[in-house]
C-alpha cells in the first residue's frame, strides 16, 4: 500500500484548464468622420492639369505641388490616389501620356 501512496504523491496533478470566453468589447459610439474640405481627388487632378497648362505635359511632382498649395492637402497621403486617377485617365483615353526621355518610367 505504501507503493501506491508514493505513486499518487509523485504523479503530477491534473489541472482542468478552462478556456476563457473572448471578451466582448463594449459597444462604443463611433464619431462621425468629418467630411473632407476638398473636392474628390479626380477633380483636383483634372483641375491641376488644366491650370498648369504645360506644353509637354504636367509631371507628377508638379501635380502634387499644385494640390498641396491650392487645396492644403498632404500630397504624400494622396499619392496612391493621384497615381490611380492618372493611370485610369490614360487608360480611358482622357489623358495622353507624352513621350519624352522619361517615358520609360511608369506612373
Amino acid at each position: 500500500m505504501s507503493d501506491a501512496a508514493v505513486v499518487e504523491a509523485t504523479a503530477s496533478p491534473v489541472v482542468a484548464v478552462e478556456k476563457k470566453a473572448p471578451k466582448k468589447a463594449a459597444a462604443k459610439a463611433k464619431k462621425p468622420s468629418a467630411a473632407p474640405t476638398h473636392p474628390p481627388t479626380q477633380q483636383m487632378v483634372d483641375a491641376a492639369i488644366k491650370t498648369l497648362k504645360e506644353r509637354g505635359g504636367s509631371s507628377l511632382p508638379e501635380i502634387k505641388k499644385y494640390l498641396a498649395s491650392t487645396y492644403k492637402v498632404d500630397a504624400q497621403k494622396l499619392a496612391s490616389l493621384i497615381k490611380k486617377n492618372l493611370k485610369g485617365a490614360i487608360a480611358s483615353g482622357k489623358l495622353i501620356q507624352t513621350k519624352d526621355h522619361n517615358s520609360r518610367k511608369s506612373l
Side-chain angles (χ1 to χ4, degrees):
M1 214 170 177
S2 63
D3 291 332
V6 173
V7 172
E8 288 178 11
T10 58
S12 61
V14 178
V15 178
V17 178
E18 295 180 20
K19 292 185 179 180
K20 293 182 180 179
K23 293 181 181 179
K24 293 184 180 180
K28 294 182 181 179
K30 291 185 178 182
K31 292 182 182 178
S33 59
T37 58
H38 56 80
T41 309
Q42 183 178 5
Q43 290 178 2
M44 291 191 296
V45 170
D46 291 343
I49 292 171
K50 288 177 184 175
T51 305
L52 291 172
K53 295 182 182 178
E54 296 289 327
R55 182 171 182 249
S58 301
S59 67
L60 185 59
E62 289 173 343
I63 293 171
K64 288 180 181 178
K65 184 177 177 181
Y66 177 84
L67 295 181
S69 65
T70 304
Y71 298 105
K72 307 294 188 247
V73 296
D74 188 4
Q76 290 179 344
K77 288 183 180 178
L78 292 178
S80 62
L81 293 174
I82 295 169
K83 287 181 184 180
K84 179 182 171 186
N85 287 318
L86 288 173
K87 285 181 182 181
I90 291 169
S92 69
K94 187 175 179 181
L95 292 177
I96 299 171
Q97 188 172 8
T98 60
K99 304 292 181 193
D100 61 351
H101 60 40
N102 291 328
S103 65
R104 284 181 261 134
K105 293 182 181 177
S106 63
L107 290 175

